[in-house]
Amino acid sequence: MNNTAVNFTTPEASTDSITQSIGLLNSLEMCACSICFLFGLPTHSYVVWLIVTGTGSGVVSEFLNLNLSVCEIGNSISAVFVLLSYFSSLFKILTNFVQGLGVTGRPLFQCLMCVERYLAVVHPVTFLKFKPLRYRVICCSVAWIITLSSCLFCYFTLVSLNTKAYVWFFTTELLLFLSIQLFCLVAVLRALKQSGPGERKRERENENHMKKRAFYLILITTVNMIIQNVPFTITGFSIILTEQDLLDVWFPALLFYVLTGFVQPVLYLQRTGKLFCLCSS
């Protein structure tokens, strides 16, 4: 959904943007897409390299984060397609298809990471049962199938000029993902207030420290997802009610979406102690 402002506008408006002079909002959108590509691609590629090479907790425990970064690399590359679509209508086909990576891919993998932390804190026995890599592979495989299906849906709805169905689809989807994350946050908060009977003080302190760490990770991810998705949701409902599909309506939401894409890799780099290494390099 980074890069989607071009597709959120009506196809006639998108075609006109190719033949007419690029206005201020178009220039700002091109800047946002450039930031997404120039900073997003190396950052997420670095995260993928760190996970694959075994830095941090290893591939198994970071498997969801790995898939999220791969999805974000796809989002960064799709920004190039959006930029090229200003000068050639041939790239409109690619930009229509890759919408699913932003509409479904990023929030879905973020949601899976939140559910994983929820299980680790609230249902640790269940978490240990499904901790092996094969269960994560199954979940991510299903997530990628859903994401690719979303890509196909976005492509056909945008090609058929059914913008209203497209807006309803991603708005409902974002509300669903956000509701799941809020549920996980509240459940973890309640778990923090409880301690097992007969536990020693030092054991309780260690357990509470781990729970608080998981809670803050879920909290940051949830706040990030609220900033990322709520503007798009509000804009989507406003488009449905007013039936006005203009670039100036979508641009603020697009800007929030691009900027929030850097939160998750920064958290990982900070956790592995590689953040300053990236900045120095």
Side-chain angles (χ1 to χ4, degrees), residues 216-246:
Y216 286 126
L217 285 174
I218 294 177
L219 178 61
I220 294 174
T221 304
T222 302
V223 172
N224 179 62
M225 194 170 186
I226 290 174
I227 298 174
Q228 166 189 304
N229 295 330
V230 168
F232 267 120
T233 304
I234 296 175
T235 305
F237 281 123
S238 66
I239 292 297
I240 294 172
L241 295 175
T242 62
E243 298 184 355
Q244 293 182 356
D245 196 7
L246 302 174

Side-chain angles (χ1 to χ4, degrees), residues 34 41 103 171 258:
S34 300
L41 183 61
V103 171
T171 303
V258 171

